[in-house]
Amino acid sequence: EVQLVESGGGLVQPGGSLRLSCAASGFTFSTYWMSWVRQAPGKGLEWVANIKQDGIEKYYVDSVKGRLTISRDNAKTALYLQMNSLRAEDTALYYCARIYHSSSGYGMDVWGQGTTVTVS
Amino acid sequence: EIVLTQSPGTLSLSPGERATLSCRASQTVTSSYLAWYQHKPGQAPRLLIYGASSRATGIPDRFIGSGSGTDFTLTISRLEPEDFAVYYCQQYGSSSSTFGQGTKVEIK
């Protein structure tokens, strides 16, 4: 079964740090782009970051640049989000997602259930 | 950054009716990079449409994506009870991505 399972969320004070993890299984992790997407309470979905298969090419939404870092370990089939200098506005449910990316289209076709980060 | 504006914010319809959801982009979006998702409370989002008009695996054919350039549409031809949810469009391009603010389809 194709699966993504996030962990590492919790309550942290403003300015603090947290590291989210996403364990992937059931597919060849190293061949997919991966992403973090978040949803603040009562708000819509917000794209946070993408990372290419090799872990070198990375992209971020402007509001998290310099504070949040996406990374991956293909040997462990794991995706990470290192969160530093956290702010109240980072409070959200964080999803990891697999990116389907081909000449025919792009979409996030597998999602985890999310892990909650509260900055307060 | 490309801004996606979805309309209407809320759509009140009855089962069996047709739903038409709009997603308008502030700049041209490459059709290959326009996707639609369904999101229900307490669940992970679900990919419905990628490449503006291709249905994802297992998605019923009542979900139809169309459009190009800056105007995209998701049509649900006949609403089933399980279709009442929030729907988001998403674009990817130039090393970034954005979601629309969502359209809630609720039972009338």
Side-chain angles (χ1 to χ4, degrees):
Chain A
E1 179 191 5
V2 174
Q3 197 172 13
L4 297 171
V5 179
E6 302 94 336
S7 61
L11 175 63
V12 61
Q13 293 183 340
S17 297
L18 214 52
R19 189 196 198 203
L20 306 185
S21 299
C22 172
S25 60
F27 65 99
T28 307
F29 179 76
S30 62
T31 64
Y32 287 88
W33 282 76
M34 296 294 295
S35 183
W36 287 100
V37 174
R38 66 185 180 184
Q39 184 176 33
K43 304 295 185 182
L45 300 175
E46 180 183 34
W47 171 75
V48 174
N50 282 358
I51 186 168
K52 196 176 178 180
Q53 292 92 331
D54 60 5
I56 297 175
E57 202 169 329
K58 307 174 185 181
Y59 303 105
Y60 300 90
V61 67
D62 286 347
S63 61
V64 309
K65 285 179 181 176
R67 301 187 303 114
L68 275 57
T69 302
I70 190 171
S71 63
R72 64 192 295 162
D73 185 331
N74 287 339
K76 295 182 178 179
T77 66
L79 179 72
Y80 305 103
L81 187 66
Q82 178 66 43
M83 310 174 75
N84 298 331
S85 303
L86 282 164
R87 305 167 179 169
E89 53 264 36
D90 295 316
T91 294
L93 179 62
Y94 284 75
Y95 295 101
C96 70
R98 185 180 82 172
I99 296 173
Y100 168 79
H101 191 183
S102 75
S103 58
S104 59
Y106 167 100
M108 296 177 178
D109 66 343
V110 179
W111 294 68
Q113 288 300 311
T115 187
T116 299
V117 173
T118 303
V119 184
S120 177
Chain B
E1 175 187 290
I2 296 178
V3 176
L4 299 179
T5 302
Q6 293 187 239
S7 61
T10 302
L11 206 46
S12 298
L13 295 168
S14 300
E17 290 192 296
R18 181 186 191 94
T20 303
L21 288 66
S22 173
C23 175
R24 180 161 291 177
S26 59
Q27 305 171 40
T28 298
V29 172
T30 302
S31 293
S32 294
Y33 296 128
L34 194 288
W36 289 92
Y37 301 85
Q38 177 190 69
H39 195 195
K40 297 179 181 179
Q43 296 185 19
R46 177 191 182 194
L47 176 65
L48 299 175
I49 301 288
Y50 64 93
S53 60
S54 298
R55 274 184 294 275
T57 302
I59 301 303
D61 60 8
R62 65 179 181 273
F63 290 93
I64 302 162
S66 62
S68 64
T70 60
D71 288 296
F72 298 88
T73 300
L74 175 68
T75 301
I76 310 172
S77 58
R78 294 174 315 279
L79 282 165
E80 297 289 340
E82 62 269 26
D83 298 337
F84 292 93
V86 179
Y87 292 83
Y88 295 93
C89 57
Q90 181 205 20
Q91 68 80 30
Y92 175 77
S94 300
S95 72
S96 71
S97 180
T98 49
F99 286 91
Q101 83 279 17
T103 289
K104 182 179 181 180
V105 179
E106 65 176 22
I107 300 176
K108 186 175 182 180

